């Protein structure tokens, strides 16, 4: 009996049990949830029942502590964060609006996709460094620049290799944006289509992190620094091109 109780997270032990029933706990968890993380996927990838959050709204007592720990750990939180939310007093203060984004809340919900150094692509006899990027693998969430709030297609990745040194060293972190307007001299992430029957129009086989020289309906012209090379990729091989954001994009 004691062992069973130890595996239950007693909601009644929270500081205010009247507001810590299932719906309240659900609201607290949703307040911690990254904005771009669907609840169903959160539950599945955390290793609990996919209906965990839906079921929680109908609970008025206890839930398994290990399940709660799993969903919290998946987003880097603990039960202490739940207590902090509950104990936070309601505010009736009116914010004073200042020009600029200095008071904007920093959201810790920007996904960072996993990358690895891929096989080199040979273009006109020269080796072009490729990066393997898995957009289905989120290795962490990072604080997003406040100016990017509301722009859900901003993400992060780590540079692999030395082909863009000194602009971007190996291991450097980059902010990137899907569907951002592009100009010559922008650093970009070029998503390449698979060259076999697996091309579904959405999944890239690899990406190129390079400088954009020119883009036409027939090709995209890119530059890398090590080894120095300007080369062209037919647009038929390109899935999409994302922009690497700079400090100028954040002001």
């Amino acid at each position: 009996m004691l062992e069973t109780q130890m595996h239950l997270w007693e909601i009644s032990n929270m500081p205010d049990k009247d507001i810590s029933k299932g719906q309240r706990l659900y609201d607290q968890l949703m307040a911690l949830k990254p904005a771009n993380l669907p609840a169903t996927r959160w539950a599945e990838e955390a290793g609990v029942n996919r209906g965990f959050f839906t079921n929680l709204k109908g609970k008025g007592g206890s839930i398994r502590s290990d399940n709660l720990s799993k969903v919290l750990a998946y987003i880097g939180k603990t039960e202490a964060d739940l207590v902090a939310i509950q104990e936070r007093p309601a505010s009736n203060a009116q914010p004073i609006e200042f020009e600029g984004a200095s008071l904007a809340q920093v959201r810790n919900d920007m996904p960072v996709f996993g990358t690895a150094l891929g096989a080199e692509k040979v273009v006109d006899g020269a080796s072009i460094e490729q990066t393997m990027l898995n957009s289905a693998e989120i290795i962490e969430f990072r604080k997003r620049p406040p100016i990017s709030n509301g722009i859900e297609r901003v993400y992060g990745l780590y540079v692999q290799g030395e082909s863009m040194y000194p602009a971007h060293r190996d291991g450097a972190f980059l902010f990137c944006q899907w569907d951002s307007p592009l100009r010559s001299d922008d650093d970009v992430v070029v998503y390449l289509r698979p060259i076999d029957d697996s091309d579904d129009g959405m999944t890239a086989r690899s990406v190129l992190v390079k400088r954009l020289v020119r883009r036409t309906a027939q090709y995209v012209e890119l530059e890398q620094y090590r080894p120095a090379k300007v080369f062209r990729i037919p647009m038929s091989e390109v899935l999409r091109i994302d922009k690497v954001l700079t400090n100028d994009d954040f002001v």
Side-chain angles (χ1 to χ4, degrees):
M1 179 65 175
L2 179 60
E3 182 180 358
T4 301
Q5 290 178 342
M6 291 176 64
H7 285 287
L8 296 176
W9 185 67
E10 291 293 342
I11 299 178
S12 58
N13 290 334
M14 290 286 283
D16 184 354
K17 71 178 183 179
D18 291 335
I19 61 172
S20 296
K21 301 301 183 182
Q23 180 64 52
R24 177 58 178 173
L25 179 56
Y26 172 85
D27 292 340
Q28 291 168 337
L29 288 169
M30 291 302 104
L32 294 175
K33 182 180 78 69
N36 65 335
L37 178 63
T40 301
R41 191 180 58 151
W42 182 8
E44 290 178 336
E45 296 187 1
V48 299
N49 187 290
R50 71 190 312 268
F52 175 85
F53 295 103
T54 301
N55 296 337
L56 180 60
K57 290 189 287 186
K59 288 184 178 289
S62 302
I63 63 173
R64 291 177 60 90
S65 63
D66 55 345
N67 286 341
L68 180 63
S69 297
K70 286 178 182 178
V71 298
L72 288 171
Y74 183 78
I75 59 171
K77 304 292 183 182
T78 68
E79 291 174 17
D81 295 295
L82 289 176
V83 175
I85 288 179
Q86 179 169 303
E87 293 180 336
R88 189 180 303 153
S91 173
N92 59 0
Q94 297 296 319
I96 300 176
E97 295 186 3
F98 292 88
E99 183 176 354
S102 60
L103 298 182
Q105 181 179 5
V106 178
R107 291 167 45 189
N108 189 30
D109 65 350
M110 188 190 69
V112 179
F113 298 137
T115 57
L117 190 62
E120 293 182 337
K121 179 180 178 65
V122 178
V123 179
D124 297 332
S127 296
I128 305 301
E129 199 170 67
Q130 296 187 95
T131 298
M132 306 306 296
L133 182 147
N134 185 358
S135 58
E137 177 193 6
I138 298 178
I139 59 175
E140 63 180 326
F141 289 94
R142 290 185 58 151
K143 293 179 180 179
R144 64 168 61 230
I147 199 169
S148 72
N149 288 349
I151 306 175
E152 299 303 330
R153 291 185 170 183
V154 172
Y155 61 91
L157 59 81
Y158 290 96
V159 172
Q160 300 291 337
E162 300 283 352
S163 69
M164 291 303 289
Y165 184 85
H168 306 300
R169 60 175 175 78
D170 184 27
F173 182 81
L174 302 181
F175 292 99
C176 309
Q177 183 176 342
W178 186 357
D179 286 349
S180 178
L182 299 174
R183 297 172 299 180
S184 296
D185 290 332
D186 282 342
D187 287 340
V188 293
V189 183
V190 181
Y191 286 70
L192 300 179
R193 294 180 179 275
I195 56 177
D196 53 27
D197 295 336
S198 64
D199 185 4
D200 57 6
M202 299 177 60
T203 306
R205 73 174 188 267
S206 61
V207 299
L208 304 174
V209 180
K210 308 299 177 187
R211 186 181 75 87
L212 177 64
V213 177
R214 182 185 314 159
R215 182 174 57 162
T216 73
Q218 290 75 40
Y219 62 84
V220 57
E221 191 169 76
L222 305 168
E223 180 182 14
Q224 72 173 23
Y225 302 143
R226 285 190 174 184
K229 176 71 175 178
V230 175
F231 61 96
R232 293 179 179 181
I233 300 293
M235 288 302 295
S236 59
E237 296 184 21
V238 175
L239 184 64
R240 75 172 199 256
I241 305 176
D242 294 354
K243 182 179 180 180
V244 174
L245 301 178
T246 67
N247 290 335
D248 290 342
D249 294 310
F250 297 141
V251 297

